[in-house]
Amino acid sequence: LSHHARLRRAVPEPGFVGALELSCQPAEVARLAAKDSRAACVGQLGQAPAIVVREAVVEGGGTPTTCTHWPSALRYVLREVFKNACRAVVERHSDGFDDELPPVYCTIHSGPRGVTLCISDQGGGIPETELENVGKFMYTTYGSYGDLAASGQHGGTPLAGYGVGLALSRLFLRYLGSDLSIESRPGFGTEVCLHLCDVRECFEHLSQTSPWAQP
Protein backbone atom coordinates (compact mmCIF):
# COMPACT_ATOMS: atom_id res chain seq x y z
CA LEU A 1 0.00 0.00 0.00
CA SER A 2 2.83 2.37 0.84
CA HIS A 3 4.42 1.71 -2.54
CA HIS A 4 1.22 2.33 -4.50
CA ALA A 5 0.38 5.44 -2.46
CA ARG A 6 3.79 6.95 -3.13
CA LEU A 7 3.49 6.16 -6.84
CA ARG A 8 0.47 8.48 -6.95
CA ARG A 9 2.22 11.49 -5.42
CA ALA A 10 1.98 14.60 -7.53
CA VAL A 11 5.70 15.28 -7.01
CA PRO A 12 7.78 12.08 -6.98
CA GLU A 13 10.56 11.78 -4.40
CA PRO A 14 13.95 12.14 -6.12
CA GLY A 15 15.75 8.83 -6.51
CA PHE A 16 12.62 6.78 -5.77
CA VAL A 17 9.93 4.97 -7.71
CA GLY A 18 7.18 4.63 -5.17
CA ALA A 19 8.76 3.12 -2.06
CA LEU A 20 11.69 1.69 -4.04
CA GLU A 21 15.00 3.52 -3.92
CA LEU A 22 16.82 3.17 -7.22
CA SER A 23 20.30 3.42 -5.69
CA CYS A 24 19.70 2.11 -2.20
CA GLN A 25 22.92 1.75 -0.17
CA PRO A 26 22.51 -1.29 2.11
CA ALA A 27 25.41 -0.12 4.28
CA GLU A 28 23.68 3.17 5.11
CA VAL A 29 20.43 1.38 5.87
CA ALA A 30 22.33 -1.06 8.10
CA ARG A 31 23.94 1.77 10.08
CA LEU A 32 20.55 3.34 10.74
CA ALA A 33 19.12 -0.02 11.81
CA ALA A 34 22.16 -0.63 14.03
CA LYS A 35 21.55 2.64 15.87
CA ASP A 36 17.89 1.72 16.44
CA SER A 37 18.75 -1.78 17.64
CA ARG A 38 21.48 -0.73 20.05
CA ALA A 39 19.15 1.85 21.59
CA ALA A 40 16.47 -0.83 22.14
CA CYS A 41 19.03 -3.17 23.69
CA VAL A 42 20.45 -0.52 26.01
CA GLY A 43 16.95 0.51 27.03
CA GLN A 44 15.99 -3.04 27.98
CA LEU A 45 19.25 -4.65 29.14
CA GLY A 46 21.39 -1.65 30.10
CA GLN A 47 24.08 -2.15 27.49
CA ALA A 48 24.67 -3.33 23.94
CA PRO A 49 27.59 -4.53 21.83
CA ALA A 50 28.99 -2.41 19.04
CA ILE A 51 27.59 -3.19 15.59
CA VAL A 52 30.28 -2.93 12.91
CA VAL A 53 29.04 -2.48 9.34
CA ARG A 54 31.66 -3.18 6.70
CA GLU A 55 31.59 -3.50 2.91
CA ALA A 56 33.97 -5.89 1.23
CA VAL A 57 34.07 -3.80 -1.95
CA VAL A 58 34.81 -0.53 -0.11
CA GLU A 59 37.59 -2.11 1.94
CA GLY A 60 39.07 -3.24 -1.36
CA GLY A 61 39.10 0.33 -2.67
CA GLY A 62 35.80 0.27 -4.53
CA THR A 63 32.64 2.38 -4.30
CA PRO A 64 29.73 1.70 -1.93
CA THR A 65 27.36 -1.09 -2.92
CA THR A 66 23.99 0.00 -4.32
CA CYS A 67 20.90 -1.83 -5.50
CA THR A 68 17.25 -1.05 -6.20
CA HIS A 69 15.37 -2.00 -3.06
CA TRP A 70 12.79 -0.99 -0.47
CA PRO A 71 14.91 0.73 2.22
CA SER A 72 12.22 0.89 4.93
CA ALA A 73 11.55 -2.85 4.63
CA LEU A 74 15.28 -3.60 4.68
CA ARG A 75 15.71 -1.40 7.75
CA TYR A 76 12.93 -3.31 9.53
CA VAL A 77 14.54 -6.67 8.72
CA LEU A 78 17.98 -5.54 9.84
CA ARG A 79 16.59 -4.12 13.09
CA GLU A 80 15.06 -7.47 13.94
CA VAL A 81 18.26 -9.38 13.19
CA PHE A 82 20.47 -6.86 15.02
CA LYS A 83 18.21 -6.85 18.09
CA ASN A 84 18.38 -10.64 18.32
CA ALA A 85 22.16 -10.57 17.96
CA CYS A 86 22.63 -7.81 20.55
CA ARG A 87 20.43 -9.56 23.09
CA ALA A 88 22.25 -12.87 22.61
CA VAL A 89 25.66 -11.22 23.11
CA VAL A 90 24.58 -9.39 26.27
CA GLU A 91 22.97 -12.49 27.76
CA ARG A 92 26.07 -14.60 27.12
CA HIS A 93 28.88 -12.20 28.00
CA SER A 94 27.54 -9.68 30.48
CA ASP A 95 27.92 -9.98 34.25
CA GLY A 96 27.39 -6.27 34.89
CA PHE A 97 26.94 -3.00 33.06
CA ASP A 98 30.57 -2.27 32.24
CA ASP A 99 31.70 -5.51 30.61
CA GLU A 100 33.44 -5.39 27.26
CA LEU A 101 31.21 -7.16 24.77
CA PRO A 102 32.28 -8.79 21.49
CA PRO A 103 30.93 -6.78 18.55
CA VAL A 104 28.25 -7.81 16.09
CA TYR A 105 29.51 -7.70 12.50
CA CYS A 106 27.46 -6.92 9.40
CA THR A 107 29.49 -7.72 6.29
CA ILE A 108 28.15 -6.73 2.87
CA HIS A 109 29.10 -8.56 -0.31
CA SER A 110 27.99 -7.72 -3.84
CA GLY A 111 27.89 -10.26 -6.66
CA PRO A 112 26.25 -10.96 -10.01
CA ARG A 113 23.17 -12.42 -8.31
CA GLY A 114 22.61 -9.56 -5.89
CA VAL A 115 23.78 -8.29 -2.52
CA THR A 116 24.31 -10.38 0.61
CA LEU A 117 24.46 -8.99 4.15
CA CYS A 118 25.83 -11.42 6.73
CA ILE A 119 25.24 -10.57 10.39
CA SER A 120 27.38 -12.58 12.79
CA ASP A 121 27.52 -12.55 16.58
CA GLN A 122 29.21 -14.37 19.44
CA GLY A 123 26.02 -14.86 21.43
CA GLY A 124 26.40 -18.59 21.97
CA GLY A 125 24.33 -19.80 19.05
CA ILE A 126 20.87 -21.34 18.93
CA PRO A 127 20.32 -24.85 20.37
CA GLU A 128 19.49 -27.41 17.69
CA THR A 129 16.21 -28.16 19.45
CA GLU A 130 15.09 -24.55 18.93
CA LEU A 131 16.58 -23.82 15.49
CA GLU A 132 13.71 -25.35 13.50
CA ASN A 133 11.22 -23.10 15.31
CA VAL A 134 13.12 -19.85 14.78
CA GLY A 135 11.21 -17.70 12.33
CA LYS A 136 7.80 -19.20 13.05
CA PHE A 137 5.00 -16.81 13.97
CA MET A 138 4.51 -16.35 17.73
CA TYR A 139 7.66 -18.29 18.61
CA THR A 140 10.11 -16.48 20.87
CA THR A 141 13.02 -17.40 23.11
CA TYR A 142 12.65 -14.18 25.08
CA GLY A 143 12.15 -15.01 28.74
CA SER A 144 13.86 -18.37 28.55
CA TYR A 145 16.92 -17.01 30.34
CA GLY A 146 15.14 -15.23 33.14
CA ASP A 147 15.16 -11.79 31.55
CA LEU A 148 11.39 -11.39 31.79
CA ALA A 149 11.39 -12.14 35.49
CA ALA A 150 14.30 -9.80 36.09
CA SER A 151 12.63 -6.93 34.24
CA GLY A 152 9.12 -7.51 35.56
CA GLN A 153 7.82 -7.80 31.99
CA HIS A 154 5.20 -10.38 31.09
CA GLY A 155 5.06 -9.94 27.32
CA GLY A 156 6.83 -8.30 24.43
CA THR A 157 9.15 -5.32 24.74
CA PRO A 158 10.79 -3.02 22.17
CA LEU A 159 13.69 -5.48 22.18
CA ALA A 160 11.96 -8.85 21.84
CA GLY A 161 9.14 -11.09 22.92
CA TYR A 162 6.35 -10.76 20.35
CA GLY A 163 7.40 -13.69 18.18
CA VAL A 164 6.79 -11.96 14.85
CA GLY A 165 10.06 -10.18 13.98
CA LEU A 166 11.88 -12.83 11.98
CA ALA A 167 8.65 -14.25 10.56
CA LEU A 168 7.66 -10.88 9.10
CA SER A 169 11.23 -10.26 7.98
CA ARG A 170 11.24 -13.46 5.96
CA LEU A 171 7.87 -12.56 4.40
CA PHE A 172 9.12 -9.09 3.41
CA LEU A 173 12.25 -10.50 1.82
CA ARG A 174 10.54 -13.33 -0.03
CA TYR A 175 7.90 -11.01 -1.42
CA LEU A 176 10.74 -8.95 -2.93
CA GLY A 177 12.45 -12.04 -4.38
CA SER A 178 15.01 -12.16 -1.55
CA ASP A 179 15.44 -14.43 1.47
CA LEU A 180 17.36 -15.01 4.68
CA SER A 181 19.27 -17.99 6.02
CA ILE A 182 20.33 -18.81 9.58
CA GLU A 183 23.43 -20.77 10.55
CA SER A 184 24.02 -21.54 14.21
CA ARG A 185 27.28 -22.61 15.81
CA PRO A 186 26.18 -23.81 19.25
CA GLY A 187 28.55 -22.62 21.93
CA PHE A 188 29.86 -19.76 19.79
CA GLY A 189 27.34 -17.70 17.84
CA THR A 190 24.92 -17.26 14.98
CA GLU A 191 25.19 -15.94 11.45
CA VAL A 192 22.13 -14.63 9.61
CA CYS A 193 22.55 -13.82 5.92
CA LEU A 194 20.14 -11.64 3.96
CA HIS A 195 20.24 -12.47 0.27
CA LEU A 196 18.91 -9.40 -1.56
CA CYS A 197 17.73 -9.59 -5.14
CA ASP A 198 17.79 -6.32 -7.05
CA VAL A 199 14.06 -5.77 -7.49
CA ARG A 200 14.60 -4.70 -11.11
CA GLU A 201 15.48 -8.33 -11.79
CA CYS A 202 12.77 -9.96 -9.65
CA PHE A 203 9.03 -10.44 -9.64
CA GLU A 204 6.88 -10.30 -6.54
CA HIS A 205 6.51 -13.69 -4.86
CA LEU A 206 2.95 -14.53 -3.87
CA SER A 207 1.91 -17.28 -1.50
CA GLN A 208 0.73 -20.42 -3.26
CA THR A 209 -2.58 -19.99 -1.44
CA SER A 210 -3.07 -16.56 -2.99
CA PRO A 211 -5.74 -16.38 -5.75
CA TRP A 212 -3.20 -14.41 -7.85
CA ALA A 213 -0.46 -17.04 -7.60
CA GLN A 214 0.36 -18.92 -10.75
CA PRO A 215 -0.56 -22.65 -10.75
Side-chain angles (χ1 to χ4, degrees), residues 8 16 26-27 29 45-46 57 59 83 90 92 106-107 114 118 120 122-124 126 135 178-179 182 196 199 205-206:
R8 293 179 175 273
F16 282 78
V29 178
L45 301 180
V57 64
E59 292 181 2
K83 286 192 297 183
V90 172
R92 181 168 179 84
C106 175
T107 306
C118 289
S120 57
Q122 297 181 38
I126 303 169
S178 306
D179 209 344
I182 302 173
L196 306 183
V199 297
H205 286 213
L206 299 175

Side-chain angles (χ1 to χ4, degrees), residues 8-198:
R8 293 179 175 273
R9 287 181 176 176
V11 180
E13 187 175 353
F16 282 78
V17 175
L20 301 176
E21 187 175 9
L22 299 178
S23 296
C24 175
Q25 293 189 27
E28 290 303 310
V29 178
R31 292 185 181 101
L32 291 172
K35 183 179 179 180
D36 298 339
S37 304
R38 293 193 74 251
C41 190
V42 170
Q44 191 64 32
L45 301 180
Q47 59 181 325
I51 300 176
V52 180
V53 178
R54 53 192 184 184
E55 289 187 82
V57 64
V58 171
E59 292 181 2
T63 58
T65 299
T66 62
C67 62
T68 298
H69 217 274
W70 187 3
S72 58
L74 179 58
R75 184 172 177 178
Y76 173 85
V77 173
L78 284 166
R79 273 201 307 261
E80 295 304 316
V81 177
F82 285 152
K83 286 192 297 183
N84 288 342
C86 287
R87 179 170 69 92
V89 169
V90 172
E91 287 176 346
R92 181 168 179 84
H93 294 278
S94 174
D95 292 321
F97 292 109
D98 57 354
D99 302 288
E100 184 174 354
L101 302 173
V104 173
Y105 288 100
C106 175
T107 306
I108 301 170
H109 302 274
S110 179
R113 299 188 63 181
V115 178
T116 299
L117 295 83
C118 289
I119 298 93
S120 57
D121 66 62
Q122 297 181 38
I126 303 169
E128 292 184 10
T129 55
E130 296 182 6
L131 189 57
E132 64 179 16
N133 293 317
V134 172
K136 292 182 178 179
F137 272 105
M138 308 312 295
Y139 178 79
T140 179
T141 60
Y142 192 56
S144 58
Y145 301 96
D147 42 14
L148 284 182
S151 65
Q153 298 284 346
H154 299 285
T157 72
L159 182 63
Y162 291 102
V164 298
L166 280 181
L168 286 176
S169 296
R170 182 169 275 141
L171 282 178
F172 275 137
L173 291 173
R174 287 181 175 175
Y175 180 76
L176 296 169
S178 306
D179 209 344
L180 66 82
S181 60
I182 302 173
E183 180 182 350
S184 175
R185 291 166 285 176
F188 181 75
T190 303
E191 182 173 76
V192 178
C193 288
L194 313 183
H195 309 283
L196 306 183
C197 176
D198 191 310

